[in-house]
Amino acid sequence: MRNVDAAGLGIGDDHPTRIMGVLNVSSESPYDPSVFADPGEAAAYVDEALIGEGADIVDVGLESANKRFEVLSAEEELERLDTAVQTVESTSGDAVFSIETRYHEVAEAALERGFDMVNDICGFADPEMPAVCEEYDVAVAKMASPPDIERPGAVEETPWAARKSAEWAESADYVDQVYEALQQNGITDKTIVDPAFGGWSEAQTLEDDRETLRRLREFRALGRPTLISINRKNFLRSVADRSTEEALPVSLAATAMAVDRGAHVVRTHDVAETVDAAKIGDAFRRRLVADAEVGVEELDVTDPGELRRHAAAAGVEIDPEQRVRRALRVTGLDEAERERLEAAAAGTDATVAGADGALVIGTPEEITDLAESAEKPALTDALSRAATRSR
C-alpha cells in the first residue's frame, strides 16, 4: 500500500485515519451548517467547528454536486474561488486545504492561490486533471465516476467497460464497475481513491452502497489510500429508519466499520464525533504490517473476492473455490531470493507471483515453510511473524 503525502500530512496504512471536514461556499448546497458566503464567517466555522474539532483536512466545495442542480462551468466555479481563497487566508488553524472541483483550470487556480490538495468528484473525467496534480505534486482524491464531466459518481453507465470482454460486461456487478471506474484515465502517485457512496444516479440503489461498504477491502488492491464519504447517507439511514437529523449514530457505527475495512480518510460534517469513531476503527482494525529489511505487508483479506482482487492486480488467477488464506506483499527481493520462494512454493497450494512487490498466498503453515526456505534472515523472520500472527 502506497502512503500519500498531502502537504506534509501522511495518509495510508502507516498513519492514523485522517478526518476531512466540509466547507461549502455554494448557496445551493443542501447542508446548511456548512454553507457560507462571507469569508470571515466561513473562516470562523473552519477554525471552530472543523479544525478545532479535529479535522486534518478541510474540503472546500464551490458548487453542490447534487444531480438536481445544473452543473456550473469552470468559469462559474472560478467566480466563486475568491470566497474560498479569502477563507483559507483568514483561517488561523493548521490543516490541509482541499479544493473540490471537476475542472483542471479550477484546481490549478486554487493550487496557485494557496490550496494544498484536490478532490476531483468526476474521477479525472477532465483528462488534464492528473497532469495538473502531478505538476504541483499534490494529493488528489479521485471519486469513481463515468468519463463524463457533468455526471459525477453515476457509475451505472460504464462506457469504459467496452474495453472489457462481453462476458465481463454481462457479469460485472456494481462494485466491479466502481473498481473499474477508479482506474479510468490512470492514477497518479498521490491519488486517494473514493468509491462514491451516496445515490449519485437514479440507478444506484441503497443495496449498491451497502455492498460497496461490505466489500470495501477490495479497493486496497488498487494500492492507494481510500477516502469514504458516508456521513448521514441514505443507505445507512434506511437501515435504522432515521431522518438525516437523527442519523449521526448510524454514521459513526459505519465509520468505525469502514476504517476497519480499509478507509484512510473519512469526509464528514460531524467532525468531533467522527474523530472518536475513527479512533475505535483504528484501534481494532485487522490491517497488520510486518516491517522488515525486505518489506513484508500482510494484506487485509477476509474473503475469496478480496483475495482474487489482489491476485488479479499481481497478474495471478486464483481458483474461485479456493478458501481464504493469508496474503502477503513482499518487496525488495532480489531475483535469486524470489526464485527460491517460487521453487519452494512449487508443488504446494502456496502461490508466489510477481517480481518486486511479489504476492505470496498460502496458509500459515505454507508460509512458515516458505520462510524456512529463505536465506535472508530478515525475510525468514518477517514471513514467520506474519504467518503466526492472530487475525
Side-chain angles (χ1 to χ4, degrees):
M1 169 67 64
R2 181 192 299 272
N3 292 299
V4 166
D5 182 307
L9 180 74
I11 299 172
D13 282 352
D14 295 340
H15 306 279
T17 301
R18 303 306 188 181
I19 306 303
M20 174 184 275
V22 181
L23 172 72
N24 291 299
V25 295
S26 53
S27 57
E28 67 274 11
S29 292
Y31 192 75
D32 288 341
S34 70
V35 180
F36 294 88
D38 179 78
E41 293 178 357
Y45 177 78
V46 169
D47 280 330
E48 295 168 13
L50 301 183
I51 300 175
E53 298 286 357
D56 304 290
I57 305 167
V58 175
D59 192 39
V60 183
L62 302 174
E63 67 169 307
S64 173
N66 192 303
K67 59 184 179 291
R68 294 176 298 168
F69 299 115
E70 291 294 323
V71 174
L72 296 186
S73 66
E75 291 73 19
E76 289 171 317
E77 282 199 5
L78 285 168
E79 289 175 3
R80 297 182 176 187
L81 186 60
D82 279 346
T83 301
V85 170
Q86 291 171 34
T87 297
V88 173
E89 292 174 345
S90 302
T91 301
S92 59
D94 184 22
V96 171
F97 284 90
S98 168
I99 188 71
E100 180 190 283
T101 185
R102 64 191 80 194
Y103 302 112
H104 80 275
E105 305 100 310
V106 179
E108 184 166 22
L111 295 171
E112 281 282 356
R113 299 179 65 184
F115 277 80
D116 307 299
M117 176 178 168
V118 175
N119 182 12
D120 183 352
I121 59 173
C122 279
F124 298 169
D126 180 341
E128 299 300 318
M129 183 68 85
V132 167
C133 294
E134 288 177 331
E135 179 184 350
Y136 285 83
D137 192 28
V138 295
V140 53
K142 178 185 182 183
M143 193 174 81
S145 187
D148 183 339
I149 208 158
E150 294 192 355
R151 302 180 62 245
V155 297
E156 86 284 354
E157 294 180 15
T158 55
W160 61 87
R163 301 195 310 269
K164 299 289 186 178
S165 66
E167 291 78 13
W168 181 90
E170 184 73 22
S171 64
D173 61 19
Y174 179 76
V175 178
D176 289 332
Q177 294 180 37
V178 171
Y179 193 94
E180 179 73 8
L182 286 168
Q183 297 179 88
Q184 69 167 349
N185 294 330
I187 293 177
T188 72
D189 285 346
K190 290 190 173 183
T191 294
I192 300 161
V193 296
D194 174 356
F197 289 98
W200 292 92
S201 68
E202 297 298 334
Q204 186 177 353
T205 68
L206 302 182
E207 185 53 38
D208 286 336
D209 275 339
R210 293 182 191 128
E211 185 66 9
T212 304
L213 182 58
R214 290 187 192 102
R215 295 169 57 184
L216 193 64
R217 289 186 183 91
E218 290 186 28
F219 295 99
R220 288 179 57 77
L222 292 168
R224 298 296 191 278
T226 302
L227 179 152
I228 60 157
S229 182
I230 58 175
N231 189 229
R232 301 178 188 250
K233 290 291 174 70
N234 193 25
F235 81 98
L236 300 174
R237 301 199 316 264
S238 62
V239 173
D241 191 23
R242 292 289 183 262
S243 67
T244 301
E245 293 73 23
E246 299 170 324
L248 180 57
V250 295
S251 291
L252 300 180
T255 293
M257 293 168 58
V259 171
D260 174 62
R261 296 176 185 190
H264 300 94
V265 180
V266 180
R267 187 177 184 273
T268 181
H269 293 277
D270 302 299
V271 171
E273 298 88 345
T274 303
V275 167
D276 286 349
K279 286 179 179 177
I280 297 301
D282 276 330
F284 294 99
R285 66 183 177 180
R286 285 168 289 191
R287 190 164 62 244
L288 301 174
V289 176
D291 295 319
E293 172 190 330
V294 290
V296 176
E297 175 191 1
E298 183 177 359
L299 302 177
D300 193 11
V301 169
T302 61
D303 69 36
E306 294 157 13
L307 184 61
R308 287 196 299 275
R309 194 73 80 181
H310 284 288
V316 183
E317 281 194 23
I318 293 294
D319 182 348
E321 302 301 319
Q322 189 176 43
R323 61 193 176 93
V324 177
R325 313 161 97 192
R326 295 287 174 88
L328 311 173
R329 181 172 288 113
V330 183
T331 56
L333 293 178
D334 59 36
E335 184 176 357
E337 194 64 59
R338 178 177 55 80
E339 290 177 350
R340 190 173 293 107
L341 286 181
E342 289 177 347
T348 75
D349 289 333
T351 299
V352 177
D356 191 54
L359 184 68
V360 176
I361 301 171
T363 64
E365 294 78 12
E366 289 166 345
I367 293 174
T368 298
D369 289 342
L370 291 177
E372 292 174 355
S373 73
E375 292 190 354
K376 288 183 178 178
L379 178 58
T380 298
D381 178 63
L383 289 174
S384 297
R385 286 190 290 124
T388 57
R389 289 188 186 198
S390 61
R391 297 298 293 246

